[in-house]
Structures are given as C-alpha cells and as structure tokens.
Amino acid sequence: EFGITRPKGYTVSYHANPEMEKHHFGQTHPMKPWRLTLTKSLVSAYGMPFAMDNYNTRAATYEELNSFHASDYLDYLASAPAEDMPRDIDNPDKEVRFNLGGSDCPLFHGLYDYCSMSAGGSLDAARKICNKQSDIAIAWGGGLHHAKRSEASGFCYINDIVVAVLQLLRCFPRVLYIDIDVHHGDGVEEAFFSTDRVMTVSFHKYAPEIFFPGTGGLDDNGPKSEHNPGAHHAINVPLNDGITDEQYEHLFQTIIGKINEVFRPSAIALQCGADSLAGDRLGRFNLQVQGHAACVEFCKRLNIPMIMFGGGGYTPRNVARAWAFETSIAIDAHKKIDPIIPQHTPWRERFIHDTLFPTLEQILGEPRANRNTQKRLQEIVQHVHEQLRFVTH
Ligand code: V1S
Ligand code: CA
Ligand code: ZN
C-alpha cells in the first residue's frame, strides 16, 4: 500500500468527520452512518490518505444552511426534541409540515449536529474547488439529495448538495449535477428548476406509486414556460429493475458525453449514491462496483473540477467497497491497488468476500431479472438528445 502516491499535476481532498458517523437513525432504519467508518477504514487500509489532503470537516453554520433552507424549518430542526423526549404541545403540527418524526425522517439525538456536519463537509469541498486548492474534492458524508427548502424527505434533512452547488455558482458560470443514486435526485432538481446555470441529470429506478420518490419521468425536464431560463435543464433517465453494468455504462457515457459537449460545465457535482449497486437493501439494479465506478472514472476524465458526494447505500460492505474504489480512481491509484482487501483492514470480516469486486453470484446468489430493453434505452437517449437541442449559451 505504500506504492500509493499523490497524483501528478492535480490535488484531491477528502472531507470527513468521525463524529458524524456515530449518529443513529434507529434500530430498523436502513440509513447507517456507520458505513462511512467502514469506507474510511478501507480507504486507510489501502494507504490512500497519503495521496490526498485530508480534512476533518466542521459543522456548517446556520447562515450557511440558510442559503437554501427556510429559517422556520432550520429553527425547528435545531430545537426539535428527540423522539423519546417529552413533546412540545404545538409541535405535532410542525412535524407534519416539515415531514419530521415519521419513519423515514425520524427525530434522533444529535440530528442537527449530524445534518450540519454533513453539509459542512460538502461546503468545505465546494470551497476547496472554488479557490483551486483541490481539483477533486470527496465528501462521502453528503449527497442527501431529497431535502427541500422547508421539508425533510427520504432520510434527508439538509440538502448539502444544493448548499455546495450554490457555493460553486459564486465561482463558476455553469455547474453540471449528476446523480447515480438509485433514487431520483428530486430536491436538487427542484432547487435549480429556474436557472440555466445548473443542469441536473439523474439516473434512477422509476415506478411512480411503488418506488420512492415517484418523480423523475423522461418528460420531466423542468417547468416549460417561455420565461423560465431553466426549462430543459433537468434531465431524467428513468430505468427499470436489473440494469447491468454494460447497459448503464453505455447509457451514462452517451448521455453525459453529449451533455458535456452541449452544456460545457465549468464544474461537476457528482452524487455517487451506492444503492444502485446489486444487493443493496433498498436498490433494484444489478450494478457491480466496476460499473458504478466506471461512471466516476468517465467524469474524472473530462478534466473538470469535481465534487464527489455520497448519498444512498444500505448494504454497508458494498457501499464501502464502491466509495473506497472510487476514491482510488480520484487519486489515479485504481490500476495499482490489490483487489484483495488488505489483511489489516479493521472490520475485514464484515466484507464477507475478501475482494473489492465480488461476482454477481457472490453478491446475490440469483441475479435480479433485467427489465431494461435495448429499445427503451435507445428511446431514452433519443429523448435526451432532443432536450439538449434547446440548450444553448
Ligand atoms: N424503499 C424504501 C424505504 N424504506 C424505508 C424505511 C424502512 C425502514 C425504516 F425503519 C424506515 C424507513 N423508507 C423508504 C423510502 C425512502 C427511501 C429514501 C432513499 C434515500 C436516498 O437513498 O435516495 C438518499 C439518501 N420511503 C418510502 O418509500 C415512503 C413510505 C413511502 C413507505 C415506507 N414507510 C416506512 C414510510 C413511507
Ligand atoms: Ca439518481
Ligand atoms: Zn437512494
């Protein structure tokens, strides 16, 4: 592992806070902040920190969160009692209004600290990109793409991505947001609906009514009014169960390659949700670490300043594999690292299989049926190309 050296000619920064990882959403809740600890343990076991600038992230301030979120929402988030505490008499009303305290977005101990640390990491990453101290900044504790201005949603309370992209917009004319989480990046899409300075692209499982959050159809490209500069700047790639590495990589490269030519982003915000991997507790796809990571590598090769965020990912061993390998891509060490997980990796037994790249059979037993036809994927590419004809600057 001592063969891992700093990449030549560019800088990568890694933003994490071990305090964040100690928070718990509750016994049965799928979101396990501990997956960040497992990721860091693998990144460290491979010696990758030697090749990066490592920052212990601070909590974002109220004012920073306020750049996107409403004050009444933040005030409530900061003061809301944990679920097992005595409730305030007028609060049930606010919990409903802000979608807090249900099973998806429980009020747990230290919630505000957890949220502000997640956003602090993403914001630090954005600042490093802005002031050119980093070319790639990694914030695996962020990527919480569902949170709205005044509403929690789908395990997300603070939209760290929106806060970070708003920071990028201070220094870059155009930002491309790409989302490979299995869920639709609805919160980020909605936040930038009315600007042509941000293009959002989400790849996701789409089945309204039965799969969360139910939005992100092929035809949903932003409000199409004559006066909306943001029209056509929301791109959605709705997919069915069981998509394979080969199909996904091809689709991703075709679509992102074309968007890069047309939109010419000056910075990229890449949400790397790992619930699109095969074997994820909530996911539906057949992606392996190789296919997921190929998307990251493709973005890296565009040579545009980039933030890599985390996001979903509910089978911690697979999340750690993907994000550790994607960290190695950022530092250009992926061809050098041994696929066998180092002997001295803490919690090594949690990985079950001792490789970074288990086979689909090892992950799943029986692979999930692939419900994506070539014909449908072609239609999606065709539709995206048509949308991009409207994009000029
Ligand atoms: N799919 C799914 C799912 N599972 C849960 C869940 C399960 C057990 C619990 F103890 C608590 C919650 N919730 C959901 C989804 C939300 C998925 C969020 C994904 C987040 C992300 O990866 O994109 C980014 C971090 N919620 C729902 O489907 C909503 C319900 C409609 C059904 C489930 N119940 C529990 C809540 C309402
Ligand atoms: Ca997505
Ligand atoms: Zn997700």
Side-chain angles (χ1 to χ4, degrees):
E1 68 261 31
F2 298 105
I4 308 267
T5 51
R6 287 187 163 259
K8 299 254 169 337
Y10 69 98
T11 304
V12 177
S13 56
Y14 191 96
H15 303 264
N17 188 335
E19 285 306 304
M20 185 184 166
E21 302 155 19
K22 294 177 186 159
H23 291 83
H24 296 277
F25 280 64
Q27 276 295 306
T28 54
H29 200 285
M31 178 58 99
K32 310 274 181 217
W34 184 80
R35 68 208 174 116
L36 298 168
T37 310
L38 196 63
T39 302
K40 185 64 197 284
S41 102
L42 199 50
V43 165
S44 298
Y46 275 111
M48 294 187 224
F50 295 116
M52 308 184 279
D53 292 339
N54 303 282
Y55 297 98
N56 204 359
T57 57
R58 65 194 171 85
T61 66
Y62 180 96
E63 287 68 34
E64 288 168 337
L65 303 180
N66 207 199
S67 69
F68 175 55
H69 291 283
S71 302
D72 59 346
Y73 175 63
L74 291 176
D75 292 340
Y76 189 71
L77 208 57
S79 69
E83 228 116 86
D84 54 356
M85 300 296 275
R87 342 266 326 136
D88 183 326
I89 196 96
D90 0 290
N91 280 347
D93 175 57
K94 281 192 174 159
E95 288 183 11
V96 170
R97 182 149 58 97
F98 299 139
N99 190 31
L100 292 165
S103 52
D104 276 0
C105 302
L107 292 166
F108 56 83
H109 283 278
L111 173 61
Y112 190 81
D113 293 335
Y114 165 84
C115 295
S116 48
M117 277 189 266
S118 159
S122 300
L123 201 43
D124 282 352
R127 292 228 171 88
K128 288 287 161 196
I129 297 291
C130 268
N131 63 28
K132 317 266 189 239
Q133 289 182 43
S134 302
D135 299 284
I136 302 178
I138 299 174
W140 295 135
L144 305 178
H145 57 180
H146 298 305
K148 312 286 162 25
R149 183 177 127 86
S150 301
E151 201 185 303
S153 172
F155 320 161
C156 306
Y157 304 80
I158 291 290
N159 202 315
D160 62 288
I161 304 168
V162 173
V163 172
V165 169
L166 288 171
Q167 171 65 39
L168 292 178
L169 288 174
R170 295 180 179 191
C171 335
F172 296 101
R174 289 179 302 283
V175 176
L176 173 59
Y177 173 68
I178 306 170
D179 185 318
I180 61 171
D181 189 289
V182 75
H183 299 101
H184 176 223
D186 57 350
V188 184
E189 179 184 272
E190 184 185 295
F192 297 112
F193 255 166
S194 56
T195 177
D196 56 4
R197 292 182 59 201
V198 179
M199 178 171 281
T200 63
V201 191
S202 176
F203 297 77
H204 45 265
K205 151 93 183 165
Y206 180 65
E209 316 294 318
I210 61 166
F211 195 74
F212 189 85
T215 49
L218 189 58
D219 292 326
D220 300 334
N221 302 105
K224 283 186 193 77
S225 97
E226 239 179 279
H227 309 290
N228 177 18
H232 314 290
H233 284 68
I235 303 291
N236 284 301
V237 182
L239 301 167
N240 291 321
D241 286 3
I243 193 165
T244 63
D245 275 3
E246 195 190 356
Q247 287 178 318
Y248 197 92
E249 282 180 52
H250 181 260
L251 199 58
F252 186 90
Q253 298 185 2
T254 308
I255 290 174
I256 301 300
K258 183 73 182 171
I259 287 175
N260 182 48
E261 279 172 26
V262 175
F263 183 64
R264 289 189 291 112
S266 30
I268 294 177
L270 175 60
Q271 197 267 22
C272 302
D275 48 7
S276 42
L277 294 170
D280 187 83
R281 178 171 159 194
L282 300 192
R284 302 294 180 87
F285 293 167
N286 277 341
L287 296 189
Q288 293 181 262
V289 169
Q290 296 93 314
H292 196 268
C295 300
V296 175
E297 190 177 3
F298 184 82
C299 292
K300 191 200 159 204
R301 284 172 187 275
L302 297 175
N303 257 313
I304 296 168
M306 172 163 78
I307 305 179
M308 288 158 57
F309 301 94
Y314 306 101
T315 303
R317 58 182 180 275
N318 295 337
V319 177
R321 280 186 172 95
W323 291 351
F325 187 60
E326 288 161 7
T327 304
S328 81
I329 289 176
I331 59 177
D332 209 27
H334 55 298
K335 300 226 169 77
K336 281 196 242 171
I337 68 170
D338 186 345
I340 303 295
I341 293 174
Q343 289 298 330
H344 61 275
T345 307
W347 301 290
R348 189 176 192 265
E349 68 287 352
R350 305 276 182 124
F351 289 95
I352 305 181
H353 302 285
D354 68 356
T355 167
L356 277 184
F357 310 113
T359 62
L360 273 184
E361 291 66 37
Q362 286 175 317
I363 301 166
L364 292 170
E366 195 72 8
R368 193 184 279 278
N370 181 6
R371 307 273 178 226
N372 299 274
T373 62
Q374 290 307 118
K375 179 165 171 282
R376 177 60 181 159
L377 299 181
Q378 250 333 298
E379 281 168 17
I380 293 173
V381 169
Q382 184 62 33
H383 176 92
V384 172
H385 281 180
E386 282 160 20
Q387 281 308 304
L388 293 175
R389 285 206 214 115
F390 295 100
V391 174
T392 50
H393 57 252

